[in-house]
Every structure is written in structure tokens, then in C-alpha cells.
Amino acid sequence: MADLDKLDDQDYPAFTTGQAAKLLGVQEAFLRNLDAAGLVRPERSEGGHRRYSRRQLTQVARLREQLDQGHTLAAAGRIIGLQDRLADTEQRLAAAETQIEDLRAQLHRQDGHDGDRRTADRAAASGASGASAPPG
């Protein structure tokens, strides 16, 4: 039985060079050039044929967009690499900010409980000192 769940995997190499080229509206030679340049490295089938994943097709489309804007292949690869690093950094920053907010909320809750404890301690201390004082 076929494992169709693999098709939902962004990294599953489901597309041949011809299929990828047709989907993207590019020449097969363009895909081979990206492989030769090390910018998009497709997996290989048992017979040695290139197989592209959906993630790689997205990468090719992004490269093509940069090239269409007049950038060289090397510049396009660098731009996309920097965009990816920026997106990763933004995600990590958002996660860190969420963690900081969670820790602040936890600290606030602890301070609230500590404040209740301090109030009870002061009340007990004043009650004890009031009980030992002679009536006025």
C-alpha cells in the first residue's frame, strides 16, 4: 500500500526534474545549474535521477524571483540565505520574548503569594506584640 502521508512532508523528494521544471515554469537546465552551483541539492533516486521536495521547489522559486530582479546567481543565493537567517532569528526572538513574559508572570504570581505571606507574618507579629502589652 502506498504511503501517501509522505506527500505532506515538505522535505519528501517527490518531484522529478521534469515535473519540477514544469511546475515552476523553468528549464530543466536551470535546475541542474542550481544543483551544480550548490544552491539547491536535490536527493537522488536509486537510478541517480534528481528528486526535488516541495521545500526545494519553494527555494527554486525564490531564487528565480531574485534572478528576475537582476541579481546574479551568487547574490540571489546570498540574499535568500540572509532572509532565511533573519526569519530564523525573528522566530527565536519571538520565542524568547514569550518565555520572558511567562517568567515575569510566574515571578508576579510568586511575589503575590510572598506578599500574602508577609502580610500574615506582620499580622501575627503585631497580634503577638499586642497580646503581651499591658492593657492601656
Side-chain angles (χ1 to χ4, degrees):
M1 186 167 152
D3 189 3
L4 295 178
D5 289 338
K6 289 181 180 178
L7 295 176
D8 291 332
D9 182 355
Q10 286 282 326
D11 296 310
Y12 180 70
F15 302 96
T16 65
T17 302
Q19 291 168 331
K22 187 173 183 177
L23 284 169
L24 295 167
V26 299
Q27 298 292 316
E28 290 182 34
F30 177 69
L31 296 172
R32 289 190 296 271
N33 287 337
L34 294 179
D35 186 8
L39 293 173
V40 178
R41 294 282 184 167
E43 303 233 358
R44 298 285 180 147
S45 68
E46 290 180 18
H49 299 283
R50 292 173 178 88
R51 297 280 190 239
Y52 292 86
S53 68
R54 288 178 22 211
R55 188 179 316 274
Q56 289 171 321
L57 296 184
T58 300
Q59 187 82 348
V60 171
R62 292 173 66 202
L63 285 164
R64 181 59 194 239
E65 183 179 305
Q66 293 298 319
L67 293 170
D68 288 347
Q69 291 178 13
H71 298 288
T72 65
L73 190 55
R78 183 76 173 135
I79 289 167
I80 289 172
L82 291 170
Q83 288 173 339
D84 290 346
R85 284 179 55 194
L86 177 60
D88 180 56
T89 301
E90 287 173 339
Q91 287 175 352
R92 289 173 45 214
L93 176 60
E97 289 173 339
T98 298
Q99 186 177 16
I100 288 169
E101 288 303 315
D102 291 347
L103 290 170
R104 281 185 178 148
Q106 182 181 358
L107 184 60
H108 180 71
R109 285 190 302 273
Q110 287 176 351
D111 283 348
H113 292 301
D114 288 346
D116 293 344
R117 213 171 309 133
R118 284 191 298 264
T119 302
D121 289 346
R122 280 194 296 269
S126 67
S129 63
S132 62

Short mmCIF file of all heavy atoms in Angstrom, two decimals, residues 31-62:
data_model
loop_
_atom_site.label_atom_id
_atom_site.label_comp_id
_atom_site.label_asym_id
_atom_site.label_seq_id
_atom_site.Cartn_x
_atom_site.Cartn_y
_atom_site.Cartn_z
N LEU A 31 17.48 24.00 -13.29
CA LEU A 31 17.54 23.20 -12.07
C LEU A 31 18.90 22.50 -11.93
O LEU A 31 19.47 22.45 -10.84
CB LEU A 31 16.41 22.17 -12.05
CG LEU A 31 15.00 22.76 -12.02
CD1 LEU A 31 13.95 21.65 -12.20
CD2 LEU A 31 14.76 23.52 -10.73
N ARG A 32 19.41 21.99 -13.04
CA ARG A 32 20.73 21.35 -12.99
C ARG A 32 21.82 22.35 -12.62
O ARG A 32 22.74 22.04 -11.86
CB ARG A 32 21.04 20.67 -14.33
CG ARG A 32 20.20 19.42 -14.58
CD ARG A 32 20.70 18.63 -15.77
NE ARG A 32 20.57 19.36 -17.03
CZ ARG A 32 19.50 19.36 -17.81
NH1 ARG A 32 18.43 18.65 -17.47
NH2 ARG A 32 19.48 20.05 -18.94
N ASN A 33 21.69 23.59 -13.12
CA ASN A 33 22.66 24.64 -12.79
C ASN A 33 22.62 25.00 -11.30
O ASN A 33 23.66 25.24 -10.69
CB ASN A 33 22.43 25.89 -13.63
CG ASN A 33 22.85 25.71 -15.07
OD1 ASN A 33 23.69 24.86 -15.38
ND2 ASN A 33 22.27 26.49 -15.96
N LEU A 34 21.42 25.03 -10.74
CA LEU A 34 21.31 25.32 -9.30
C LEU A 34 21.97 24.21 -8.48
O LEU A 34 22.60 24.46 -7.46
CB LEU A 34 19.84 25.48 -8.89
CG LEU A 34 19.10 26.68 -9.46
CD1 LEU A 34 17.65 26.68 -8.99
CD2 LEU A 34 19.79 27.98 -9.09
N ASP A 35 21.81 22.98 -8.94
CA ASP A 35 22.46 21.85 -8.27
C ASP A 35 23.97 21.97 -8.39
O ASP A 35 24.70 21.85 -7.40
CB ASP A 35 21.96 20.54 -8.89
CG ASP A 35 22.45 19.30 -8.16
OD1 ASP A 35 23.07 19.42 -7.07
OD2 ASP A 35 22.23 18.20 -8.68
N ALA A 36 24.46 22.26 -9.59
CA ALA A 36 25.91 22.39 -9.81
C ALA A 36 26.50 23.53 -8.98
O ALA A 36 27.62 23.43 -8.48
CB ALA A 36 26.19 22.61 -11.29
N ALA A 37 25.71 24.60 -8.79
CA ALA A 37 26.18 25.75 -8.01
C ALA A 37 26.06 25.49 -6.51
O ALA A 37 26.55 26.28 -5.70
CB ALA A 37 25.38 26.99 -8.38
N GLY A 38 25.41 24.39 -6.12
CA GLY A 38 25.27 24.06 -4.70
C GLY A 38 24.17 24.83 -4.00
O GLY A 38 24.11 24.84 -2.76
N LEU A 39 23.30 25.47 -4.75
CA LEU A 39 22.24 26.26 -4.13
C LEU A 39 21.00 25.44 -3.80
O LEU A 39 20.31 25.72 -2.82
CB LEU A 39 21.85 27.43 -5.05
CG LEU A 39 22.95 28.48 -5.22
CD1 LEU A 39 22.54 29.50 -6.27
CD2 LEU A 39 23.24 29.16 -3.89
N VAL A 40 20.70 24.45 -4.60
CA VAL A 40 19.59 23.54 -4.35
C VAL A 40 20.10 22.14 -4.67
O VAL A 40 20.41 21.85 -5.83
CB VAL A 40 18.35 23.87 -5.22
CG1 VAL A 40 17.23 22.87 -4.95
CG2 VAL A 40 17.86 25.28 -4.94
N ARG A 41 20.24 21.32 -3.65
CA ARG A 41 20.78 19.97 -3.80
C ARG A 41 19.66 18.94 -3.69
O ARG A 41 19.30 18.53 -2.58
CB ARG A 41 21.83 19.69 -2.72
CG ARG A 41 23.07 20.51 -2.82
CD ARG A 41 23.94 19.95 -3.89
NE ARG A 41 25.20 20.69 -3.93
CZ ARG A 41 26.23 20.29 -4.59
NH1 ARG A 41 26.18 19.16 -5.26
NH2 ARG A 41 27.32 21.01 -4.60
N PRO A 42 19.11 18.51 -4.82
CA PRO A 42 18.05 17.51 -4.75
C PRO A 42 18.60 16.15 -4.34
O PRO A 42 19.78 15.87 -4.50
CB PRO A 42 17.52 17.47 -6.18
CG PRO A 42 18.68 17.89 -7.03
CD PRO A 42 19.45 18.88 -6.18
N GLU A 43 17.70 15.34 -3.79
CA GLU A 43 18.07 13.95 -3.50
C GLU A 43 18.19 13.22 -4.83
O GLU A 43 17.78 13.73 -5.87
CB GLU A 43 17.00 13.32 -2.62
CG GLU A 43 16.79 14.08 -1.34
CD GLU A 43 16.90 13.20 -0.11
OE1 GLU A 43 17.10 11.99 -0.24
OE2 GLU A 43 16.76 13.77 0.96
N ARG A 44 18.75 12.02 -4.76
CA ARG A 44 18.88 11.21 -5.96
C ARG A 44 18.13 9.90 -5.78
O ARG A 44 18.13 9.31 -4.70
CB ARG A 44 20.36 10.89 -6.24
CG ARG A 44 21.23 12.10 -6.51
CD ARG A 44 20.99 12.64 -7.88
NE ARG A 44 21.82 13.81 -8.15
CZ ARG A 44 22.29 14.10 -9.34
NH1 ARG A 44 22.01 13.34 -10.38
NH2 ARG A 44 23.01 15.19 -9.52
N SER A 45 17.49 9.47 -6.84
CA SER A 45 16.80 8.17 -6.81
C SER A 45 17.86 7.07 -6.89
O SER A 45 19.05 7.35 -7.06
CB SER A 45 15.85 8.07 -8.01
OG SER A 45 16.60 7.99 -9.22
N GLU A 46 17.42 5.84 -6.76
CA GLU A 46 18.35 4.72 -6.87
C GLU A 46 19.06 4.72 -8.22
O GLU A 46 20.21 4.30 -8.32
CB GLU A 46 17.62 3.40 -6.64
CG GLU A 46 17.17 3.21 -5.20
CD GLU A 46 16.45 1.89 -4.99
OE1 GLU A 46 16.56 0.99 -5.84
OE2 GLU A 46 15.78 1.77 -3.96
N GLY A 47 18.38 5.21 -9.24
CA GLY A 47 18.98 5.28 -10.57
C GLY A 47 19.81 6.53 -10.80
O GLY A 47 20.34 6.74 -11.89
N GLY A 48 19.93 7.38 -9.78
CA GLY A 48 20.75 8.59 -9.89
C GLY A 48 20.02 9.82 -10.39
O GLY A 48 20.63 10.86 -10.62
N HIS A 49 18.71 9.72 -10.57
CA HIS A 49 17.93 10.86 -11.06
C HIS A 49 17.60 11.81 -9.91
O HIS A 49 17.34 11.40 -8.79
CB HIS A 49 16.63 10.38 -11.72
CG HIS A 49 16.87 9.50 -12.90
ND1 HIS A 49 17.26 9.99 -14.13
CD2 HIS A 49 16.80 8.15 -13.04
CE1 HIS A 49 17.41 8.99 -14.98
NE2 HIS A 49 17.14 7.85 -14.34
N ARG A 50 17.61 13.10 -10.23
CA ARG A 50 17.29 14.12 -9.23
C ARG A 50 15.82 14.02 -8.82
O ARG A 50 14.95 13.84 -9.65
CB ARG A 50 17.58 15.51 -9.78
CG ARG A 50 19.04 15.82 -10.00
CD ARG A 50 19.19 17.17 -10.71
NE ARG A 50 20.59 17.50 -10.91
CZ ARG A 50 21.31 17.13 -11.96
NH1 ARG A 50 20.76 16.43 -12.94
NH2 ARG A 50 22.58 17.48 -12.06
N ARG A 51 15.59 14.22 -7.51
CA ARG A 51 14.24 14.26 -6.96
C ARG A 51 14.16 15.47 -6.04
O ARG A 51 14.95 15.62 -5.12
CB ARG A 51 13.93 12.99 -6.15
CG ARG A 51 13.97 11.73 -6.96
CD ARG A 51 12.66 11.57 -7.72
NE ARG A 51 12.58 10.25 -8.32
CZ ARG A 51 12.44 10.05 -9.62
NH1 ARG A 51 12.36 11.06 -10.44
NH2 ARG A 51 12.37 8.84 -10.09
N TYR A 52 13.15 16.31 -6.30
CA TYR A 52 13.00 17.56 -5.56
C TYR A 52 11.85 17.49 -4.57
O TYR A 52 10.81 16.91 -4.85
CB TYR A 52 12.74 18.72 -6.54
CG TYR A 52 13.92 19.03 -7.41
CD1 TYR A 52 14.12 18.36 -8.60
CD2 TYR A 52 14.84 20.00 -7.04
CE1 TYR A 52 15.22 18.63 -9.41
CE2 TYR A 52 15.94 20.28 -7.84
CZ TYR A 52 16.12 19.59 -9.02
OH TYR A 52 17.20 19.87 -9.80
N SER A 53 12.05 18.12 -3.43
CA SER A 53 10.99 18.22 -2.42
C SER A 53 10.21 19.52 -2.63
O SER A 53 10.65 20.41 -3.37
CB SER A 53 11.61 18.21 -1.02
OG SER A 53 12.34 19.41 -0.81
N ARG A 54 9.09 19.63 -1.95
CA ARG A 54 8.30 20.87 -2.02
C ARG A 54 9.10 22.04 -1.46
O ARG A 54 9.03 23.16 -1.99
CB ARG A 54 6.99 20.71 -1.26
CG ARG A 54 6.05 19.80 -2.02
CD ARG A 54 4.71 19.50 -1.37
NE ARG A 54 4.26 20.43 -0.39
CZ ARG A 54 3.51 20.09 0.65
NH1 ARG A 54 3.16 18.85 0.84
NH2 ARG A 54 3.10 21.01 1.50
N ARG A 55 9.87 21.80 -0.40
CA ARG A 55 10.70 22.87 0.17
C ARG A 55 11.73 23.35 -0.86
O ARG A 55 12.00 24.54 -0.99
CB ARG A 55 11.39 22.38 1.44
CG ARG A 55 12.11 23.48 2.20
CD ARG A 55 12.77 23.00 3.48
NE ARG A 55 11.95 22.13 4.28
CZ ARG A 55 11.05 22.52 5.19
NH1 ARG A 55 10.85 23.81 5.39
NH2 ARG A 55 10.35 21.65 5.89
N GLN A 56 12.31 22.41 -1.59
CA GLN A 56 13.29 22.79 -2.62
C GLN A 56 12.63 23.54 -3.77
O GLN A 56 13.23 24.46 -4.32
CB GLN A 56 14.02 21.55 -3.12
CG GLN A 56 14.97 20.99 -2.09
CD GLN A 56 15.55 19.65 -2.48
OE1 GLN A 56 14.86 18.80 -3.05
NE2 GLN A 56 16.82 19.46 -2.18
N LEU A 57 11.41 23.16 -4.12
CA LEU A 57 10.71 23.90 -5.17
C LEU A 57 10.47 25.35 -4.74
O LEU A 57 10.60 26.27 -5.55
CB LEU A 57 9.38 23.22 -5.52
CG LEU A 57 9.46 21.81 -6.12
CD1 LEU A 57 8.07 21.32 -6.50
CD2 LEU A 57 10.40 21.75 -7.31
N THR A 58 10.13 25.53 -3.48
CA THR A 58 9.95 26.89 -2.95
C THR A 58 11.26 27.67 -3.03
O THR A 58 11.28 28.84 -3.41
CB THR A 58 9.44 26.83 -1.50
OG1 THR A 58 8.20 26.14 -1.48
CG2 THR A 58 9.29 28.22 -0.90
N GLN A 59 12.36 26.99 -2.70
CA GLN A 59 13.69 27.61 -2.75
C GLN A 59 14.03 28.02 -4.20
O GLN A 59 14.53 29.12 -4.43
CB GLN A 59 14.74 26.63 -2.21
CG GLN A 59 16.11 27.21 -2.07
CD GLN A 59 16.29 28.00 -0.81
OE1 GLN A 59 15.33 28.32 -0.10
NE2 GLN A 59 17.51 28.32 -0.49
N VAL A 60 13.74 27.15 -5.14
CA VAL A 60 14.00 27.46 -6.55
C VAL A 60 13.17 28.67 -6.97
O VAL A 60 13.67 29.58 -7.66
CB VAL A 60 13.71 26.24 -7.45
CG1 VAL A 60 13.75 26.63 -8.93
CG2 VAL A 60 14.69 25.11 -7.17
N ALA A 61 11.90 28.71 -6.59
CA ALA A 61 11.04 29.84 -6.94
C ALA A 61 11.59 31.14 -6.37
O ALA A 61 11.57 32.18 -7.05
CB ALA A 61 9.61 29.59 -6.46
N ARG A 62 12.09 31.08 -5.15
CA ARG A 62 12.68 32.28 -4.53
C ARG A 62 13.93 32.71 -5.28
O ARG A 62 14.16 33.91 -5.49
CB ARG A 62 12.99 32.02 -3.06
CG ARG A 62 11.74 31.84 -2.21
CD ARG A 62 12.06 31.41 -0.80
NE ARG A 62 12.79 32.46 -0.09
CZ ARG A 62 13.55 32.24 0.97
NH1 ARG A 62 13.69 31.02 1.46
NH2 ARG A 62 14.17 33.24 1.56
#
